[in-house]
Amino acid sequence: MSTQVETTPAKDRPGGTSKPAPPRIVIQYPTPAVDDGRYPAKRVVGDVVTVEADIFRDGHEILRAVVRYKPPQARNWREAEMHRIDAHLGGVRWAARFDVDEQGRWEYAIEAWTDVFGTWRDELARKVAARQHDLAGELSEGVRLLQTASEAARAKSDKALIDHAIATLSDEDVPETAKHDVALGPELFATVERIQPREGAVTLDQPIQIDVDRPLAKFSAWYELFPRSWGGLQGVNTQLPRLAELGFDVIYLPPIHPIGHTNRKGRNNSLTAGPTDPGSPWAIGDETGGHDAVHPELGTIDDVRNLAQSAKKLGLEIALDFAIQCSADHPWLHEHPEWFHRRPDGTLKYAENPPKRYQDIYNVNWESPDWQGLWDALLAVVLHWVDAGITVFRVDNPHTKPFEFWRWLIQNVHQHNRDVIFLAEAFTRRSVMRHLAKIGFSQSYTYFTWKNSRYELTEYVSELALTDESEYFRPNFFANTPDILHEYLQHGGRPAFEARITLAATLSPSYGIYSGYERCENVAVREGSEEYLNSEKFEIKQRALDGPLLPYIQRLNSIRRENAALHDLTNVTFLDTANDALIGYAKHSRGNTIVTVVNVDAHQVQEGLAIIPANLGLPPSFTAHDLLTDERFVWRIGANYVRLEPGVRQAHVVRVEI
């Protein structure tokens, strides 16, 4: 982006024309800006926004610049002064910072102008320093500039100071050296800089937007559970105190709606359901209701309200699944048959994603002549649950629905309640995942589950954290899901589970696990499959919070909350470890540095180094406090020996103590 528009009113010019001269100042490459400002960047309440841009002009004149920014619904713009950040390199990059303390859509613009008085003062100072004399012409120029400033002065004290300087510089009886002292006085300079007109000012042709969410959109630990395996919604309610104690922030529930009977799936996704098989929660709808109803065996809408209220009292939030698909028994198929795909012979077309087939599910027809009615109905569903106290939604397969629908829906939901957070379950092409984030999704699932080597993790996290993608794409590193049991977990035993959750919890500000992870459940339905044997998607289990990994998970969540360095994505520095089976990285925020080293080999002892680079700004020697074991080691800049043995110690998570 390189745009500028002159904002100073033009004055009459020789020749009878009042057309302003072309602008002399260039503003380029402002950040944060997503696709040149086409989409908003993302921040959360409490963040500091750093705005940067290249700003320059022809010649040697001194420039000044500000960031003008405006909170949501505000009428007046605020300003933060910009400063050159690479002047020592002869660069033209400028920066300023401002705090965002309110949810909603903020705007910022950059304004730059020629500092006429500052340029004149700088030239005079250099001539005086060079012992040049007879500077009456230069002083006369200063008088004219001061007269302009005097006209702009509003405070009597400012005007008095400037008029005194004008009188001194104009008095032939005042010695030249005294005039120089007055002209170069710091108080006069500060006053004139503050009030002089912004000569030749230019600004971006349109403001750039920033969407500011609540902090949960950036930092959260998720726990996924099927309510039917915990005694329904009331049973889940009884587990909330323990889940809060374990350090989770969001409890995510797969669909809680009535489940269809037609083509209901049986155990392990079989095509024939037995008389007691409950069916898949994603086959939504029966004669008792659809997306706005609660399965009678799980509870009632009042149970949802009570669950949401109980959770918030404990600092938790309940997330519901929003899956836009219907069973053959969903009321919409009878009330709005035009919303569904039908073959030429009139039969319904069930959902498929070859080779997967979903005989119990029907997708809606986004090309329906009544598409607006469909959109409105889906918006009403979301608002129905928002009004019941739900402000977090995990959205199923959003990449298979129209992008414009999601932009429209999220915008309308946020007009109703700005607290709502949307997590995109989109394991698809990178450009599609990025676009979903740009149009409004707060977080997204990622490829993390399939990144298990040091090289893969370093490359992928660097892409997420250290490129422009970090301005709008917030990853949520789920270590497993009901659909994804990676072979690394299938064959690695408990050490693999420890390694993966350590990576998820310390690399990404948001991460999640599906219940059973704490029990190291790792049996696939068959070799080469990522589906669980006896998947909970198709049967009811008897769940309890009693897995052997729970103390480890609780400690990790505590470490995350207590260390601000783990609340950010973009502050990661990967370390050389001298061993590809060890991945090391440091995260640093003001006053807090966390160094993590994980053995990604779940079977063998691995030895190597944590090589701490000098550019982290740490002292030559420091105490490395392992927050997992409470041990302390003396580490230093450079190489530090590490030995990680599966079954004994899978990782170091150390805090630098100085």
Side-chain angles (χ1 to χ4, degrees):
M1 177 181 287
S2 176
T3 52
Q4 55 278 324
V5 177
E6 185 165 350
T7 59
T8 302
K11 297 180 179 179
D12 289 343
R13 286 168 172 76
T17 178
S18 61
K19 183 179 180 180
R24 307 280 294 272
I25 298 171
V26 175
I27 302 174
Q28 286 184 336
Y29 314 126
T31 60
V34 179
D35 290 1
D36 288 340
R38 182 179 179 185
Y39 303 102
K42 287 189 173 74
R43 295 294 187 272
V44 298
V45 171
D47 276 350
V48 176
V49 178
T50 299
V51 175
E52 296 185 10
D54 286 0
I55 304 174
F56 56 91
R57 63 157 287 169
D58 59 283
H60 301 287
E61 282 78 4
I62 294 173
L63 299 181
R64 290 188 64 195
V66 294
V67 170
R68 305 176 67 237
Y69 61 97
K70 186 169 64 173
Q73 313 304 323
R75 292 185 176 181
N76 298 323
W77 292 82
R78 307 170 187 174
E79 289 188 349
E81 187 173 2
M82 301 186 78
H83 300 278
R84 286 176 66 190
I85 57 176
D86 58 358
H88 59 295
L89 301 174
V92 296
R93 196 69 176 166
W94 293 61
R97 294 151 59 95
F98 62 89
D99 298 330
V100 287
D101 55 5
E102 180 183 345
Q103 286 180 211
R105 182 157 291 184
W106 291 59
E107 293 181 313
Y108 80 84
I110 297 170
E111 185 176 8
W113 64 94
T114 300
D115 185 353
V116 179
F117 184 77
T119 300
W120 170 82
R121 183 179 184 273
D122 178 68
E123 292 177 353
L124 179 66
R126 285 187 278 130
K127 291 177 180 180
V128 170
R131 301 182 183 276
Q132 294 182 14
H133 299 286
D134 192 17
L135 301 176
E138 286 82 350
L139 293 175
S140 68
E141 292 175 341
V143 168
R144 176 174 294 181
L145 296 175
L146 290 172
Q147 288 171 341
T148 301
S150 178
E151 294 172 1
R154 295 293 178 264
K156 291 183 178 180
S157 57
D158 291 341
K159 185 173 179 60
L161 176 66
I162 295 170
D163 289 346
H164 176 266
I166 293 172
T168 302
L169 299 184
S170 303
D171 191 338
E172 296 180 358
D173 295 329
V174 175
E176 187 174 269
T177 55
K179 292 182 178 182
H180 296 166
D181 290 341
V182 170
L184 300 176
E187 186 178 359
L188 177 66
F189 177 59
T191 300
V192 176
E193 290 288 283
R194 176 165 43 81
I195 65 174
Q196 69 175 331
R198 296 180 174 182
E199 182 69 26
V202 300
T203 187
L204 298 177
D205 57 356
Q206 59 184 5
I208 296 174
Q209 297 177 330
I210 300 176
D211 271 348
V212 177
D213 299 309
R214 57 192 176 115
L216 190 73
K218 176 182 178 182
F219 180 80
S220 53
W222 291 52
Y223 186 84
E224 177 179 358
L225 60 84
F226 286 75
R228 66 191 188 185
S229 295
W230 298 79
L233 296 173
Q234 292 184 12
V236 174
N237 209 327
T238 65
Q239 301 297 321
L240 294 182
R242 177 60 175 146
L243 289 165
E245 184 181 41
L246 289 168
F248 290 102
D249 304 292
V250 179
I251 311 305
Y252 156 50
L253 313 181
I256 60 172
H257 316 299
I259 298 172
H261 307 287
T262 304
N263 296 331
R264 176 176 287 192
K265 294 295 187 71
R267 287 168 60 93
N268 291 313
N269 202 24
S270 63
L271 293 179
T272 303
T276 61
D277 286 337
S280 167
W282 282 273
I284 297 170
D286 71 3
E287 66 280 359
T288 65
H291 284 75
D292 56 358
V294 179
H295 196 300
E297 294 179 9
L298 296 182
T300 66
I301 185 67
D302 286 335
D303 290 325
V304 174
R305 294 190 182 97
N306 292 336
L307 185 64
Q309 292 171 3
S310 298
K312 290 188 177 181
K313 289 177 182 177
L314 294 166
L316 296 169
E317 299 231 13
I318 302 299
L320 291 189
D321 195 285
F322 184 41
I324 303 177
Q325 56 207 31
C326 302
S327 81
D329 307 305
H330 195 293
W332 284 353
L333 274 88
H334 308 289
E335 298 168 1
H336 299 281
E338 70 279 8
W339 290 355
F340 296 89
H341 294 279
R342 293 185 182 271
R343 292 184 173 89
D345 63 1
T347 59
L348 280 168
K349 181 180 180 181
Y350 61 72
E352 294 184 80
N353 182 19
K356 294 184 177 181
R357 307 177 76 187
Y358 305 98
Q359 295 89 341
D360 56 341
I361 293 172
Y362 297 89
N363 290 325
V364 300
N365 178 14
W366 295 102
E367 305 300 326
S368 167
D370 187 31
W371 64 268
Q372 187 65 64
L374 173 62
W375 285 28
D376 290 340
L378 292 168
L379 173 61
V381 166
V382 176
L383 297 183
H384 169 77
W385 295 113
V386 171
D387 290 342
I390 302 299
T391 50
V392 183
F393 293 89
R394 178 267 199 189
V395 178
D396 190 74
N397 288 326
H399 56 289
T400 62
K401 287 79 179 175
F403 299 127
E404 181 58 20
F405 165 75
W406 291 121
R407 188 203 63 76
W408 172 86
L409 181 132
I410 293 171
Q411 182 181 71
N412 278 275
V413 171
H414 280 168
Q415 289 176 356
H416 182 78
N417 187 327
R418 194 57 183 77
D419 282 346
V420 178
I421 290 168
F422 292 92
L423 168 64
E425 188 248 3
F427 300 108
T428 184
R429 294 159 291 176
R430 293 295 295 122
S431 293
V432 175
M433 295 168 70
R434 294 187 187 108
H435 190 68
L436 289 167
K438 291 175 183 177
I439 62 177
F441 277 90
S442 318
Q443 297 181 2
S444 178
Y445 283 64
T446 68
Y447 300 152
F448 169 74
T449 311
W450 298 279
K451 306 294 184 181
N452 290 278
S453 71
R454 175 193 174 193
Y455 171 78
E456 290 172 325
L457 286 163
T458 301
E459 180 186 49
Y460 186 48
V461 174
S462 294
E463 175 194 329
L464 294 172
L466 306 179
T467 68
D468 291 344
E469 192 169 336
S470 66
E471 297 287 6
Y472 60 89
F473 187 92
R474 297 192 188 110
N476 192 320
F477 279 8
F478 262 81
N480 71 325
T481 78
D483 298 303
I484 306 172
L485 174 65
H486 193 273
E487 62 178 353
Y488 181 87
L489 296 178
Q490 294 177 28
H491 303 299
R494 175 169 174 161
F497 282 77
E498 289 184 354
R500 293 300 292 174
I501 195 170
T502 304
L503 291 164
T506 58
L507 278 171
S508 176
S510 290
Y511 87 101
I513 59 173
Y514 154 57
S515 59
Y517 192 96
E518 66 274 15
R519 302 173 63 88
C520 301
E521 294 180 0
N522 66 344
V523 181
V525 68
R526 68 183 68 87
E527 186 67 28
S529 172
E530 291 185 341
E531 290 279 349
Y532 285 85
L533 178 65
N534 301 326
S535 171
E536 198 171 3
K537 292 189 296 181
F538 308 105
E539 64 179 75
I540 298 174
K541 297 183 179 293
Q542 298 301 314
R543 292 289 196 186
L545 287 170
D546 57 3
L549 271 186
L550 286 178
Y552 190 83
I553 294 170
Q554 183 172 0
R555 184 65 195 132
L556 275 175
N557 284 338
S558 178
I559 291 169
R560 282 166 48 84
R561 290 189 176 185
E562 294 168 0
N563 292 276
L566 299 179
H567 297 193
D568 194 7
L569 175 69
T570 63
N571 60 347
V572 65
T573 299
F574 286 97
L575 310 179
D576 186 6
T577 58
N579 182 340
D580 283 342
L582 300 177
I583 182 171
Y585 44 92
K587 284 197 162 189
H588 174 77
S589 66
R590 191 166 193 164
N592 185 228
T593 301
I594 299 294
V595 179
T596 303
V597 185
V598 180
N599 180 4
V600 296
D601 183 343
H603 305 284
Q604 302 293 328
V605 175
Q606 297 292 339
E607 298 175 296
L609 303 172
I611 301 178
I612 307 298
N615 62 8
L616 288 181
L618 302 178
S621 179
F622 54 86
T623 297
H625 180 192
D626 193 322
L627 301 175
L628 292 173
T629 64
D630 205 31
E631 296 174 275
R632 285 176 168 80
F633 312 96
V634 177
W635 280 16
R636 59 188 56 83
I637 299 296
N640 302 274
Y641 172 75
V642 294
R643 182 181 188 274
L644 296 174
E645 179 180 354
V648 178
R649 187 203 304 269
Q650 198 67 31
H652 285 297
V653 179
V654 305
R655 181 169 58 207
V656 173
E657 296 179 351
I658 302 171

